[in-house]
Amino acid sequence: MTKTILITGSSSGLGRATAKHFHAKGWNVVATMRNPEREEELIRLDRVLVTRLDVQDLASIQAAVDAGISKFGRIDALMNNAGYGAYGPLEVTSLDKIRRQFDVNVLGVLATTKALLPHFRANRSGVIVNISSGGGRVTLPLGTLYHGTKFAVEGLSESLHFELAPLGVRVKIVEPGAIKTDFMSRSLDFSNDPQLSEYQPLVQKVLAVIGPMMEQGAPPERVAESVYTATTDDSNQLRYEVGVDVVELLGSRRSMDDAAFLGGMRTQFGLEG
Ligand code: NAP
């Protein structure tokens, strides 16, 4: 029987690339997004249901899950992909921005997962692939919020993978490094106040690192392939690193203790002394 995946944030980047990849592999795809009326490409594909899902709107999550099951009979996999990056000094970041970052990147993952669990439990099968980041294992300065959410995704996914194993449901974490999407223009929400001069040297250094890092990113199809492997490999492997940069970085992180690794990062950002 043809299998079905539901993907959040399919309007661009990793979500869109993964929707196309699973479709090309013969899967049905429930390609969800906040504004499906703007979608022009995915609506033209057979076996793809484009429907509305805003992870901040609980009713839209349930409606998308119901629409997917009603259209394809069942859902076999969920990719929790919707997310964005709130960066900048905490002191200048509004509480609204803080709440929104955790709402989308963390509560969105939990709420969408909860909406599918009764279905997965009844089927005694299902795969949940949560898009974390290399930034879910290591941090850059001024990423208090983004890294806070991605570390949360790592922890919640790891614990949940134990909880759901007896139900026949697998949880997977995909950790992309820099991937060349529209993340910088669409999904980077950088707060700053130039008048707070104490933060400005670090702001400049971080911006100088992030821009070129994203420019040299791997293509989104690499993540799509990894999500496909994670969904179909029938293994208990929890984490999948995507990209040479993240494999090197996390390898280096594992090879050092905190003092050595964090000391290296402080030096890189001119924070020694
Ligand atoms: P992107 O192209 O900007 O895509 C972000 C997606 O999230 C968009 O489809 C956006 O939808 C959606 N989204 C935002 N808020 C949402 C909400 N409330 N409800 C539903 N969807 C929402 O960026 P991307 O690089 O593909 O990012 C996708 C995921 O990969 C994120 O979780 C990100 O943290 C992670 N990631 C990316 C990289 C990278 O280098 N690109 C690296 C590591 C991890 P709209 O079109 O409606 O805005």
Side-chain angles (χ1 to χ4, degrees):
M1 202 174 91
T2 306
K3 294 198 166 185
T4 302
I5 185 167
L6 185 146
I7 301 173
T8 64
S10 302
S11 61
S12 67
L14 309 186
R16 170 177 293 274
T18 307
K20 287 161 70 173
H21 189 76
F22 273 73
H23 177 263
K25 292 281 187 186
W27 282 55
N28 302 319
V29 179
V30 186
T32 75
M33 56 192 72
R34 286 191 290 189
N35 299 294
E37 67 283 358
R38 291 188 199 152
E39 179 58 35
E40 292 178 353
E41 185 188 20
L42 296 174
I43 48 163
R44 286 205 288 268
L45 301 177
D46 63 331
R47 291 181 285 101
V48 174
L49 171 67
V50 174
T51 193
R52 180 172 177 272
L53 190 162
D54 179 337
V55 297
Q56 292 186 277
D57 172 355
L58 288 184
S60 79
I61 296 175
Q62 194 59 55
V65 168
D66 293 346
I69 295 170
S70 152
K71 167 96 178 162
F72 297 120
R74 71 184 252 159
I75 294 174
D76 302 280
L78 162 67
M79 177 193 189
N80 279 311
N81 163 73
Y84 73 98
Y87 274 81
L90 178 64
E91 190 180 341
V92 305
T93 308
S94 70
L95 268 179
D96 276 352
K97 283 198 175 189
I98 294 172
R99 270 200 198 95
R100 178 162 179 262
Q101 175 75 135
F102 279 83
D103 260 0
V104 173
N105 289 15
V106 182
L107 292 181
V109 171
L110 294 170
T112 311
T113 300
K114 263 175 73 70
L116 266 161
L117 279 182
H119 184 66
F120 285 169
R121 183 168 47 78
N123 292 343
R124 292 205 58 77
S125 95
V127 185
I128 299 162
V129 182
N130 291 336
I131 302 301
S132 173
S133 166
R137 313 292 298 283
V138 295
T139 69
L140 287 176
L142 305 184
T144 302
L145 300 180
Y146 183 68
H147 295 299
T149 64
K150 292 299 185 183
F151 271 57
V153 168
E154 293 276 341
L156 70 88
S157 305
E158 186 174 302
S159 181
L160 194 61
H161 108 287
F162 296 125
E163 179 177 322
L164 299 183
L167 282 65
V169 177
R170 291 201 162 94
V171 178
K172 307 279 185 161
I173 306 170
V174 168
E175 299 166 329
I179 308 292
K180 212 167 167 183
T181 63
D182 294 337
F183 189 83
M184 286 295 282
S185 55
R186 293 172 58 110
S187 294
L188 180 68
D189 180 10
F190 199 100
S191 302
N192 189 25
D193 178 352
Q195 296 199 337
L196 294 190
S197 57
E198 295 90 334
Y199 293 114
Q200 300 316 306
L202 194 53
V203 166
Q204 295 316 319
K205 283 198 184 91
V206 169
L207 287 175
V209 166
I210 296 184
M213 186 174 82
M214 298 300 281
E215 269 306 301
Q216 292 157 17
E221 288 72 25
R222 292 286 315 282
V223 177
E225 287 159 10
S226 182
V227 173
Y228 190 78
T229 302
T231 305
T232 56
D233 68 4
D234 283 332
S235 81
N236 289 326
Q237 182 179 337
L238 177 62
R239 292 187 166 88
Y240 298 74
E241 298 168 5
V242 190
V244 179
D245 57 348
V246 89
V247 169
E248 267 177 22
L249 181 66
L250 296 183
S252 153
R253 180 67 187 93
R254 280 189 284 272
S255 73
M256 291 181 213
D257 61 14
D258 265 15
F261 186 81
L262 299 179
M265 291 293 284
R266 279 195 297 272
T267 305
Q268 185 185 344
F269 287 96
L271 300 172
E272 273 315 315

